[in-house]
Structures are given as structure tokens and as C-alpha cells.
Amino acid sequence: MRFKLPLTLGLLLLAAAAPAAAQEGTALSPRVLDEAALPGVMAEAVDSFIVPGYRDLSRATADLAEKSAALCATPSAAALEETRSAFSNVVRKWSTIEIVRLGPALEQNRFERFLFYPDRKSTGLKQVQAILAKHDESATRADSLKGKSVAVQGLGAFEYVLYGTGAETLAGKGGSFRCRYGVAISQNLTAIADELLAAWEKPDGVQSAWKSPGPGNPFFRDSKEAATELLGVLVHSVEMIKDQRLRPFYDGALDGKPDKGRPKLAIYWRSGNTMASIAANLGGLQALFNSAGMEKLLPADSRSIAGSLNFLFKALISATDRVEGPIDAVLADEKQRARLDFIALNTADLLDRLNRDFGGAIGLGAGFSFADGD
């Protein structure tokens, strides 16, 4: 086994989640999508999760912009701490809703402008450092900043402003340029969040397409396409957590030897928001699954699948919340590493259950390939 688990914890989770998979494995009749239930589920996904999620993000970014401006007006250690706290709140709100990586989020490079990650060659970092070193005044205005590289106008750039080399100057007069650059980033984030909210709130826009799949719909020609998109949000997001959030900084064991880890490849490692972000990703996925009422798509004899999925979500979120402290310290602690192993193993299990068990049970076919769209 690639990952090592605390034995009792691992067996408890796997034993509790197993009955649903066993039950579905005995199903003999082919599954057909419940087309009568789907429109209501799609509508709830929009009204109960997506729109509220973008509203929360809009409010959080506006607060960050306000706190950033206050820091520039009256620099102090207390004001810097308030801005950092507001930044962490935006990270949590964004991590909850970033799972909806489609539609308006992909238009005008909004997603990458809000969060440029991963930055494998540190290209973005170098660009941010260059702006700070050269005091590029065009980066201190939101209108001109949005025309620059996506790597210098989002959360990653702002994290470096608040926590990178020289960030301590923000508490005094010596950080004036750095602070004004931060304000421009916060205003840019607010503008993007407001655009995303407006796009989803528009009655005849993307929400209408989600709520009314069928002929003539530019997004979903039938219910199967709509169901595929909705479940695809969950499947692709769990893949993202597994491959882009966990694996870059920790991969369990490599060639039979414990992986020492790469803490500086972890998202938000400077601000200590790595695991809080992953917990918010998982929390957002569970909230989408439940608030949309996706259980309603399951046949009566397969409803236990929803229970096993919620069990996995709860266990994963709880384990993620218990991984505390800077990532470099986490990787040096055996107990914390065991929790990371647990998260990695059961994230893979969650992915399989969503794709194979849930997808198969609602009529998309066991082993449905979301990556290939077939």
C-alpha cells in the first residue's frame, strides 16, 4: 500500500463506507437518469450553493479592499494583522466556490486572474518581485493591473505582498508602494468576484441554462449533459485536491521511501492557509452535493451511496482540520504526516465513489470518464 494509515482509523472509515459499494456491486438492472428530478437538483445547485457562494466571496473581497486601504492610510502592526485576517477569509470563501470552475469563471481569464496556481517555474513570483523592486506604479491602479500578467493580480500575488520578503514594512511608512500595490490587487479581486456574482444572478444567463436543460439550450442539450456537468464539478474538484493541492508538497512514499515533502510547493504556504483551503474545498463539495439534493438522483435501492459519500466528506474534512501549523512543521511531524496519508488515500476513494458508484447509479454508467466527456 502506498500510504500508511493509523490502523484503527483507516479500518473504521473503510468499513463504514463499504456497504454502499457492495450493494451497488450487486445491482443487475441498468440505471437510467431520473430526468424528472434533475431540473430541481440543478436549480438548487445554483440557488442554494453557487449564487450564495459568490455572494460570500463578493462580501469578503470588499472587506479585504477596505482593510487594505485602511492599512495604507494608517500603517500599524494591528492594521496589518486585520488585513491578513481578511485575506485568509477571502482564501476560505474562494476555496469553497472555486470548485465551480466553469462558465463565467473561465471567461476573460477570471479564474487565473483570481488564483494563479500552480506556479511551477516561479514565473509569477519573479514578476511580483520585479514589480516591488522597480516600484512599477502601473501596478498600483486596478484598471491597469488587470491588463498585466494573471500571475501578478490575484491571491498568490497578494499573499506575497502580505507575507513575502519585506512584508514587515507594511506596518510602517516604508511600505507605502507595497501597500498600494496590495490595494490594487484587492480591488481587482473585488471586481472579479462582483462580475462572477452578476453573471450567475442574471435570470436569463448561465443560471437559466443550468435550470432548463433541453433542445435549444446552448450549454446542455439534454438532461444527461446537465447531470454530467454537475457531477463533473465534484469529480474534477476531487481530482484537483488530490493532484494539485496535496501531491505537489507531499506524495506519501516514493520508491518505497518516505517522502520528505516539498513545503514551498504547497498552495498558500506563506500565509499558513494550505490546509484551511483544502478543508474549504472539501466543505464546498459536500455543501454542493447536499444543498443541491443530489441524493434525489439516486434510485431508492442506491440511496446508501449518499450516506457513504457524506461519511467520507465528514472524515476528510475532520482530518484536514486537524493538520495544523506551517507545512514545513507538519511534514516534520509523524502524526501529522499520518493524517496527510489518511487524507490522500481517502480522497482517492472519494473520487472513485463519485465517479463509479454515484455516476453509475444515476445512469451515467460505471467508470464514466469525465476527462474524456464520454
Side-chain angles (χ1 to χ4, degrees), residues 43-74:
E44 286 299 326
V46 173
D47 295 338
S48 299
F49 178 76
I50 298 176
V51 171
Y54 281 127
R55 283 178 184 154
D56 287 345
L57 182 64
S58 178
R59 284 191 288 264
T61 53
D63 180 62
L64 176 60
E66 181 180 331
K67 294 293 194 302
S68 300
L71 171 63
C72 293
T74 311

Side-chain angles (χ1 to χ4, degrees), residues 122-359:
S122 297
T123 302
L125 173 62
K126 293 172 184 176
Q127 292 175 354
V128 171
Q129 290 172 329
I131 286 174
L132 292 171
K134 297 176 181 178
H135 284 205
D136 178 1
E137 285 294 335
S138 65
T140 65
R141 300 186 304 275
D143 59 343
S144 53
L145 178 63
K146 69 180 182 180
K148 293 183 177 293
S149 164
V150 296
V152 303
Q153 55 177 293
L155 288 175
F158 204 7
E159 183 185 41
Y160 189 83
V161 167
L162 291 175
Y163 293 92
T165 303
E168 68 281 356
T169 61
L170 292 171
K173 295 181 179 180
S176 175
F177 174 81
R178 190 184 194 106
C179 196
R180 288 186 290 116
Y181 175 35
V183 168
I185 297 175
S186 69
Q187 292 171 343
N188 185 61
L189 293 173
T190 302
I192 297 171
D194 289 347
E195 289 170 5
L196 289 167
L197 176 59
W200 278 98
E201 284 186 324
K202 188 177 179 182
D204 59 349
V206 63
Q207 70 159 267
S208 176
W210 269 56
K211 294 177 179 180
S212 306
N217 186 318
F219 292 92
F220 312 121
R221 293 167 296 180
D222 55 39
S223 295
K224 185 175 180 180
E225 288 188 356
T228 299
E229 182 85 326
L230 180 59
L231 182 54
V233 170
L234 276 74
V235 170
H236 289 311
S237 295
V238 176
E239 288 178 332
M240 177 270 291
I241 294 169
K242 180 173 68 76
D243 297 332
Q244 295 183 17
R245 296 299 192 262
L246 291 168
R247 188 169 290 170
F249 75 89
Y250 183 67
D251 209 14
L254 299 173
D255 299 324
K257 300 179 181 179
D259 177 17
K260 295 181 180 179
R262 300 157 295 280
K264 291 186 178 181
L265 293 183
I267 193 170
Y268 308 122
W269 67 270
R270 288 185 175 85
S271 60
N273 280 306
T274 301
M275 301 311 295
S277 170
I278 294 174
N281 289 150
L282 290 164
L285 289 169
Q286 185 178 29
L288 173 59
F289 184 84
N290 290 323
S291 62
M294 292 180 68
E295 180 179 355
K296 297 175 184 176
L297 298 177
L298 290 165
D301 63 352
S302 301
R303 292 292 171 90
S304 61
I305 292 177
S308 67
L309 286 171
N310 269 306
F311 184 91
L312 274 168
F313 275 126
K314 183 177 180 181
L316 281 165
I317 293 167
S318 176
T320 305
D321 284 338
R322 293 199 303 274
V323 180
E324 301 174 336
I327 289 299
D328 55 351
V330 166
L331 292 171
D333 185 302
E334 284 301 316
K335 185 178 292 186
Q336 299 273 50
R337 289 168 66 94
R339 288 174 181 151
L340 291 175
D341 289 341
F342 177 86
I343 294 165
L345 177 64
N346 288 287
T347 298
D349 187 28
L350 176 62
L351 177 61
D352 186 56
R353 290 176 185 276
L354 284 166
N355 196 4
R356 183 195 64 197
D357 295 352
F358 189 88

